[in-house]
């Protein structure tokens, strides 16, 4: 029994590798991205995100949040508690993200200063920068597969274990003209993403490091986003990651958001 | 005089001790409660935080006097053990401009127990709901503290209520039941050294104001609320029934025989409210609405022996939030009150209108926030606008500068038309 438990994940991983490598012969860019989106990451998960904001003078600010997330079929529910800085501690953000691109996400914001929850726009905030970092709300979430068109590029690196995919947003109002992602074929995680502005100039570069497995799932622990146009950067560290924790859908309610957490 | 001062000093000490006693009692009760003992197997979590602030406001017209000099420490203590939670917050304030604000104030102190989908909360708590911003249509349990009129942050303005609250939540549905044994009422300033006094502080005749007369603390005078909320795709809907009171009294005025004093007497009356509210998200907009029907709302009557009467009234609010992106946020609201079976002797207008507008924009990676928020009295062309700049100097220090602008010869903002002020604030979070 014990042996089976140990061997099973290895067998699965081996089969997955085989299927990916043979799949890669004929796979389209869209199929790769779908595989990346579908990358196994448990039914639910919890993590702490610490963001170090560095401006052009080198001065630093810290932001941290605790995130709970749960998959419900193809939809996703997220609950985010703001831990620091102190003036936003207790603020919480609840989102119900729908896979159906025709359906707007539901979003609520709890402001402890007002002791009140308000529904906020399901679309526009996606383009805003999250807590003053170089990540937009959308950068931190999952984009629907239909929100971009995809093109598989020649591998511009010496690393054959990477796919290079160009994603072009279908919405002309998007702040990016294209994204170029360097995706690891085994981990199904982008090691690097280049973000281009509407003029086609390089706007931001994301470098992803410290990738390892937690509870059997690949996860990147460090993301370094450099905004070339604003001379600003953000180092996002992901810690205290746990998967398949004992929570249910009732965790992702307005009441839970208002209740907050004692950190 | 000396005796008087000494008495006041002792009264303050006793008041502080009373609050500390309540805190100690809560703590003692909590740690000896079965909930705590049940939760012993997990390590308790404790968090103490808060802020220290200095706030100074000076009148922008003659005599350029200080309207406010508030130095304050806010403490917040949170304790959690499994399903049990305790929260308390308090203020320690020194205020030269409004001396009766100096001292200790217990804001909230409540115990909460959660299990599966329900939560029970008992104690002194601020209860807020509805979708209206800075206006109270159905959000009537925690009234307002007008000690500094509306110039304080909105979280400071709400008066906590001693209440028992029961909350049952499913992913798309919430039921709330609230019982308030002794209701809280609006705090109305009337001291002579407060520029925000609701009554004339100088001139002849003098005012003799009685604000201590409140409804008796009996079970039949308690408040009850039942509220259900539905959180659906693209829309939230709330339905509320309240058995409450008019939180802001209706005053009647009588003059002494010598005509040298005006006696002011508050009047309260029970109030039943049925209401619905909604919030709809569509693209970059959120449309909000609140509609409440007040049954037997007390109304002031002019020139009569009987100073008050009761009427039903409709209270409606429509709001629009626009999130155009780039950290812009624009909100606007329109509020209408219509009194049924109107008679010409009522002090209030048959239909009254108020609007609010708010605009905010964050720049410099959210370190600088510019904002303005205005109440506009559409009946008397008066307004109150607060414009502010907030700069985050570090992760724990925020600096503010702003201007409060009052205008109006009649209506609710006219008493403060000479109170426009510049203000600065520094806040350190710990």
């Amino acid at each position: 029994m014990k042996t089976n438990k140990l061997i099973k994940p290895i067998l699965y991983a081996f089969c997955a590798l085989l299927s990916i490598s043979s799949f890669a012969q004929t796979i389209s860019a869209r199929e790769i991205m779908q595989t990346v989106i579908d990358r196994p990451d448990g039914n639910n998960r919890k993590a702490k995100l610490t963001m170090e904001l560095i401006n052009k003078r080198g001065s630093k600010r810290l932001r941290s949040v605790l995130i709970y997330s749960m998959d419900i079929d193809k939809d996703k529910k997220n609950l985010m508690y703001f831990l620091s800085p102190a003036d936003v501690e207790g603020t919480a953000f609840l989102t119900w993200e729908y896979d159906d691109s025709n359906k707007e996400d539901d979003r609520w914001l709890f402001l402890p200063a007002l002791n009140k929850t308000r529904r906020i726009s399901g679309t526009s905030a996606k383009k805003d920068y999250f807590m003053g970092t170089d990540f937009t709300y959308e950068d931190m979430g999952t984009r629907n597969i239909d929100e971009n068109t995809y093109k598989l590029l020649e591998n511009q690196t010496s690393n054959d274990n990477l796919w290079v995919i160009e994603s072009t947003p279908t919405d002309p109002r998007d702040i990016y003209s294209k994204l170029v992602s360097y995706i690891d074929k085994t981990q199904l995680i982008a090691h690097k993403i280049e973000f281009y502005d509407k003029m086609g100039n390089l706007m931001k570069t994301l470098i992803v490091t410290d990738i390892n497995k937690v509870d059997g799932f690949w996860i990147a622990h460090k993301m370094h986003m450099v905004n070339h146009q604003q001379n600003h950067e953000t180092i996002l560290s992901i810690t205290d990651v746990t998967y398949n924790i004992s929570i249910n859908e009732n965790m992702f309610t307005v009441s839970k958001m208002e209740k907050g957490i004692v950190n | 005089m000396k005796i008087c001062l000494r008495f006041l000093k002792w009264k303050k000490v006793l008041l502080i001790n009373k609050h500390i006693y309540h805190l100690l009692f809560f703590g003692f009760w909590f740690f000896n409660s079965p909930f705590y003992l049940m939760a012993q197997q997990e390590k308790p979590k404790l968090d103490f935080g808060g802020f220290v602030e200095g706030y100074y406001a000076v009148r922008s017209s003659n005599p350029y006097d200080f309207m406010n000099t508030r130095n304050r420490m806010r403490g917040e203590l949170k304790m959690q053990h499994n399903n049990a939670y305790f929260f308390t917050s308090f203020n320690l304030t020194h205020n030269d401009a409004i001396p009766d604000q100096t001292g200790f104030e217990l804001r909230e102190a409540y115990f909460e127990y959660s299990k599966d989908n329900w939560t029970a909360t008992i104690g002194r708590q601020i209860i807020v709901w509805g979708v209206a911003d800075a206006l109270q249509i159905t959000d009537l349990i925690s009234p307002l503290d007008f000690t500094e009129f509306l110039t304080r942050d909105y979280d400071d303005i709400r008066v906590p209520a001693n209440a028992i609250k029961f909350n049952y939540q499913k992913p798309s549905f919430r039921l709330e039941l609230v019982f308030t044994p002794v209701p809280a009422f609006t705090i109305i300033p009337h001291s002579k050294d407060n520029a925000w006094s609701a009554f004339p502080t100088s001139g002849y005749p003098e005012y003799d104001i009685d604000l201590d007369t409140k409804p008796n603390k009996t079970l039949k005078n308690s408040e009850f609320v039942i509220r259900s909320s539905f959180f659906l795709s693209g829309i939230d809907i709330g339905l509320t029934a309240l058995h409450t009171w008019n939180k802001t009294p209706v005053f009647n005025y009588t003059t002494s025989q010598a005509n040298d004093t005006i006696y002011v007497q508050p009047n309260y009356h029970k109030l039943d409210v049925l209401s619905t509210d909604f919030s709809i998200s569509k693209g970059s907009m959120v449309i909000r609405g609140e509609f409440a029907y007040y049954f037997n709302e007390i109304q002031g009557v002019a020139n009569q022996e009987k100073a008050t009467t009761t009427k039903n009234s409709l209270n409606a609010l429509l709001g629009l939030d626009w999130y155009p992106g780039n950290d812009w946020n624009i909100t606007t609201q329109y509020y209408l009150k219509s009194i049924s079976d109107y008679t010409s002797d009522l002090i209030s207008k048959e239909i009254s209108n108020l609007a609010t507008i708010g605009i905010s924009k964050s720049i410099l990676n959210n370190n600088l926030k510019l904002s303005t928020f205005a109440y506009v009295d559409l009946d008397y062309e008066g307004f109150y606008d607060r414009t502010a700049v907030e700069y985050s100097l570090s992760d724990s220090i925020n600096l503010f500068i702003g201007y409060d602008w009052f205008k109006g010869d009649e209506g609710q903002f006219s008493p403060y038309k000479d109170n426009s002020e510049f203000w600065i604030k520094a806040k350190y979070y710990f």
Side-chain angles (χ1 to χ4, degrees):
Chain A
M1 187 69 181
K2 206 173 183 179
T3 316
N4 277 346
K5 269 191 178 175
L6 283 170
I7 290 172
K8 240 180 174 180
I10 297 167
L11 284 175
Y12 276 136
F14 186 62
C15 292
L17 273 174
L18 278 178
S19 61
I20 287 166
S21 53
S22 56
F23 186 44
Q25 303 302 315
T26 53
I27 192 168
S28 72
R30 184 189 160 93
E31 285 166 331
I32 292 169
M33 292 310 287
Q34 187 65 62
T35 316
V36 170
I37 290 170
D38 295 340
R39 177 170 55 86
D41 60 351
N43 293 324
N44 62 57
R45 55 214 73 85
K46 175 190 164 192
K48 184 179 175 185
L49 271 56
T50 305
M51 292 153 282
E52 191 177 20
L53 285 62
I54 307 164
N55 70 10
K56 58 185 169 191
R57 295 190 306 277
S59 78
K60 294 175 181 174
R61 300 285 176 103
L62 279 179
R63 312 269 183 268
S64 61
V65 295
L66 184 68
I67 297 182
Y68 290 86
S69 170
M70 182 175 191
D71 301 332
I72 295 158
D73 298 326
K74 286 195 162 183
D75 300 332
K76 188 183 252 186
K77 292 189 174 183
N78 303 301
L79 178 55
M80 186 187 295
Y81 295 108
F82 292 58
L83 306 176
S84 70
D87 65 332
V88 296
E89 186 189 348
T91 302
F93 187 51
L94 174 67
T95 57
W96 296 357
E97 292 176 5
Y98 301 107
D99 182 61
D100 182 351
S101 57
N102 294 318
K103 197 171 170 184
E104 281 182 18
D105 294 347
D106 290 306
R107 292 163 173 241
W108 296 269
L109 185 68
F110 173 68
L111 298 166
L114 302 179
N115 200 12
K116 191 170 180 178
T117 295
R118 65 187 303 153
R119 177 181 273 271
I120 60 170
S121 157
T123 55
S124 57
K126 283 182 173 182
K127 316 291 180 202
D128 283 351
Y129 285 98
F130 177 72
M131 295 180 86
T133 66
D134 296 288
F135 294 85
T136 64
Y137 280 86
E138 198 167 53
D139 293 340
M140 300 187 68
T142 312
R143 284 171 79 101
N144 183 286
I145 188 81
D146 294 322
E147 288 179 37
N148 297 301
T149 57
Y150 304 95
K151 194 162 79 180
L152 187 57
L153 304 180
E154 289 278 319
N155 192 345
Q156 297 161 353
T157 71
S158 55
N159 191 342
D160 287 338
N161 199 33
L162 295 176
W163 283 305
V164 184
I165 303 233
E166 183 181 290
S167 311
T168 307
T170 50
D171 185 349
R173 293 167 301 176
D174 204 290
I175 60 170
Y176 306 124
S177 61
K178 67 175 181 182
L179 284 76
V180 178
S181 308
Y182 298 78
I183 296 165
D184 186 283
K185 293 178 181 175
T186 309
Q187 298 161 345
L188 296 173
I189 289 177
H191 285 199
K192 179 180 166 188
I193 303 177
E194 295 159 350
F195 300 78
Y196 292 85
D197 67 11
K198 298 298 275 183
M199 305 294 290
N201 299 318
L202 182 62
M203 186 180 176
K204 300 189 296 188
T205 304
L206 176 70
I207 303 290
V208 177
T209 53
D210 287 6
I211 301 170
N212 56 36
K213 277 192 170 181
V214 174
D215 298 339
F217 304 108
W218 286 108
I219 182 159
H221 290 271
K222 190 157 275 184
M223 299 183 186
H224 187 173
M225 181 79 93
V226 178
N227 189 324
H228 305 287
Q229 296 177 350
Q230 294 183 357
N231 288 325
H232 195 273
E233 53 193 286
T234 302
I235 299 169
L236 191 156
S237 305
I238 303 173
T239 54
D240 304 337
V241 185
T242 44
Y243 289 98
N244 294 330
I245 49 179
S246 59
I247 55 170
N248 58 32
E249 214 179 331
N250 289 325
M251 176 77 199
F252 302 90
T253 59
V254 167
S255 290
K256 284 285 183 194
M257 178 174 65
E258 292 170 352
K259 187 174 164 57
I261 50 156
V262 181
N263 192 30
Chain B
M1 185 66 175
K2 255 184 181 174
I3 293 168
C4 237
L5 284 172
R6 193 170 289 171
F7 171 72
L8 284 172
K9 206 172 168 186
W10 271 107
K11 197 177 163 196
K12 197 174 276 177
V13 171
L14 285 171
L15 197 69
I16 293 169
N17 285 342
K18 196 177 97 182
H19 290 311
I20 292 170
Y21 168 77
H22 283 155
L23 279 175
L24 290 173
F25 175 76
F26 246 111
F28 179 79
W29 175 77
F30 176 77
F31 285 109
N32 289 282
S33 68
F35 305 117
Y36 174 72
L37 297 172
M38 276 191 304
Q40 280 294 302
Q41 66 272 24
E42 259 202 23
K43 201 179 166 191
K45 290 179 185 171
L46 191 82
D47 180 36
F48 182 72
F51 59 80
V52 178
E53 71 168 10
Y55 172 77
Y56 307 98
V58 66
R59 199 188 304 263
S60 61
S61 59
N62 200 24
Y64 304 101
D65 54 331
F66 278 101
M67 311 274 285
N68 211 323
T69 54
R70 184 176 64 231
N71 300 294
R72 176 169 64 145
M73 187 197 117
R74 160 75 60 85
E76 291 184 349
L77 176 70
K78 299 170 190 169
M79 288 188 278
Q80 188 167 27
H81 305 263
N82 283 1
N83 299 336
Y85 175 74
F86 174 72
F87 175 80
T88 187
S89 65
F90 59 87
N91 286 331
L92 275 172
T93 307
H94 183 269
N95 195 326
D96 276 327
I98 310 173
D100 58 9
Q101 289 296 291
T102 297
F104 177 88
E105 180 200 13
L106 180 67
R107 291 287 292 164
E108 294 183 88
Y110 60 79
F111 170 74
E112 198 167 88
Y113 187 78
S114 308
K115 184 98 176 143
D116 301 327
N117 299 334
W118 61 267
T119 302
T121 310
I122 180 168
R124 188 172 165 81
Q125 53 191 297
I126 294 172
I127 295 173
V128 177
W129 52 51
V131 299
D133 274 347
L135 293 171
Q136 293 182 288
I137 316 291
T138 53
D139 181 18
L140 299 172
I141 297 299
S142 287
L144 300 185
D145 178 350
F146 284 115
T147 301
E148 297 169 32
F149 191 51
L150 295 167
T151 61
R152 281 204 284 191
D153 293 339
Y154 204 66
D155 59 328
D156 287 325
I157 291 179
R158 300 307 295 260
V159 178
N162 298 307
I164 300 167
K165 185 177 169 191
F166 180 83
N167 181 350
Y168 177 80
Q169 172 94 57
K170 295 292 277 181
S172 301
F173 170 73
R174 174 161 73 173
L175 177 72
E176 290 163 281
L177 302 171
V178 177
F179 170 62
T180 313
V182 180
F185 293 94
T186 304
I187 295 172
I188 296 169
H190 64 285
S191 67
K192 288 188 175 174
D193 43 19
N194 186 347
W196 307 102
S197 174
F199 303 95
T201 52
S202 59
Y204 184 84
E206 281 200 346
Y207 278 75
D208 185 329
I209 302 148
D210 167 26
L211 289 178
D212 296 329
T213 304
K214 300 254 169 62
N216 292 331
K217 296 169 184 173
T218 60
L219 187 61
K220 72 171 186 176
N221 286 345
S222 302
E223 283 176 312
F224 306 90
V225 183
I226 178 166
R227 176 175 167 83
S228 54
S229 311
F230 301 87
F231 305 96
L232 310 171
S233 175
I235 182 169
D236 299 337
I237 299 168
L239 300 167
T240 313
L242 297 98
H243 176 69
T244 179
W245 291 81
N246 61 302
K247 292 304 180 82
T248 304
V250 169
F251 293 106
N252 65 311
Y253 301 84
T254 51
T255 310
S256 64
Q257 281 190 334
N259 281 331
D260 58 352
T261 308
I262 294 173
Y263 298 103
V264 181
Q265 198 69 29
N267 292 283
Y268 296 93
H269 195 273
K270 284 182 182 170
L271 176 70
D272 292 315
V273 178
L274 283 178
S275 80
T276 182
D277 55 81
F278 66 86
S279 197
I280 301 169
S281 166
K282 192 72 191 160
S284 59
M285 306 274 187
V286 175
I287 302 157
R288 297 176 280 119
E290 245 183 270
F291 299 92
Y293 199 74
Y294 291 5
F295 297 89
N296 298 317
E297 183 185 16
I298 191 170
Q299 298 288 343
V301 179
N303 304 320
Q304 286 213 358
E305 280 294 308
K306 186 190 166 197
T308 63
T309 185
T310 58
K311 298 282 180 186
N312 296 345
S313 71
L314 173 71
N315 297 263
L317 176 135
L318 268 178
L320 183 70
D321 303 334
W322 183 32
Y323 301 86
N326 289 321
D327 292 312
W328 279 96
N329 187 13
I330 298 165
T331 69
T332 182
Q333 298 180 122
Y334 169 68
Y335 167 62
L336 173 142
K337 184 181 185 76
S338 172
I339 300 171
S340 305
D341 301 323
Y342 189 81
T343 50
S344 58
D345 57 352
L346 295 185
I347 292 170
S348 298
K349 295 184 82 165
E350 182 177 6
I351 294 174
S352 43
N353 305 269
L354 186 76
T356 70
I357 182 159
I359 303 170
S360 71
K361 161 80 176 158
S362 293
I363 53 176
L364 301 178
N365 292 88
N366 284 7
N367 288 324
L368 188 69
K369 186 179 176 186
L370 315 171
S371 66
T372 186
F373 187 88
Y375 297 84
V376 183
D377 184 341
L378 299 172
D379 300 321
Y380 295 103
E381 298 175 352
F383 65 82
Y384 161 49
D385 173 72
R386 167 163 274 209
T387 297
V389 179
E390 178 182 355
Y391 178 65
S392 171
L393 188 66
S394 71
D395 283 341
S396 53
I397 299 174
N398 286 9
L399 304 176
F400 306 73
I401 186 164
Y403 186 67
D404 292 331
W405 185 15
F406 291 89
K407 203 157 179 65
D409 292 324
E410 285 184 276
Q412 56 188 304
F413 301 115
S414 63
Y416 312 108
K417 65 179 179 182
D418 297 322
N419 281 13
S420 295
E421 58 181 7
F422 290 104
W423 55 268
I424 56 167
K425 183 162 75 172
K427 212 165 178 177
Y428 168 72
Y429 296 89
F430 60 87

